[in-house]
Amino acid sequence: QVQLVESGGGLVQPGESLRLSCAASGFILDAYAVAWFRQAPGKEREAVSCISQIDSTPAYSDSVKGRFTISKDNTKNVVYLEMNSLKPEDTAVYYCAVDPSPMDCSLVVGVVGADFGSWGQGIQVTVSS
């Protein structure tokens, strides 16, 4: 049974950093595409970053490119999202998601409504002064 548990969210000021973690269990992480999505109040959910199991090349939405970094530790079965230079518009609930299907992450990031097979429960990130 696939389980994903996010941690590391919270309240930070603009310009600060946070690192989200997603602890995965019940499957082999290396065989799955992994992604971080976010949903801000009143907006639809969008993928902000993704790593494909095909080539492990990370992809980012334009809104976070250069500020966020996705990574994964296959030995620990953990996915990370390092978020730097945070802005108030980054405020959202962040979700970790995985899918066993071969994934072209360039077609996922920045897309509203992209669907993955399994999801974490989500974690709040608030950027405010």
Side-chain angles (χ1 to χ4, degrees):
Q1 180 181 358
V2 173
Q3 287 192 322
L4 302 168
V5 179
E6 299 99 336
S7 62
L11 171 64
V12 296
Q13 295 189 348
E16 294 186 339
S17 299
L18 273 178
R19 187 176 78 161
L20 302 183
S21 299
C22 174
S25 61
F27 66 102
I28 299 174
L29 184 60
D30 198 30
Y32 281 60
V34 299
W36 286 95
F37 289 74
R38 70 184 182 187
Q39 186 166 18
K43 295 187 177 181
E44 294 186 75
R45 188 177 61 202
E46 65 164 348
V48 297
S49 186
C50 175
I51 297 182
S52 170
Q53 72 274 56
I54 299 173
D55 61 7
S56 297
T57 300
Y60 302 94
S61 66
D62 288 342
S63 59
V64 307
K65 194 175 297 181
R67 300 187 297 122
F68 289 14
T69 302
I70 188 173
S71 61
K72 60 177 182 172
D73 186 332
N74 291 325
T75 62
K76 297 181 180 179
N77 252 29
V78 180
V79 184
Y80 302 100
L81 185 67
E82 184 75 35
M83 305 185 294
N84 298 316
S85 302
L86 282 162
K87 305 175 181 180
E89 51 263 44
D90 295 318
T91 295
V93 177
Y94 283 73
Y95 299 87
C96 173
V98 298
D99 196 289
S101 303
M103 196 72 65
D104 183 345
C105 282
S106 66
L107 301 180
V108 171
V109 293
V111 174
V112 170
D115 196 17
F116 271 45
S118 300
W119 296 81
Q121 81 285 357
I123 193 162
Q124 179 69 44
V125 171
T126 302
V127 185
S128 175
S129 56

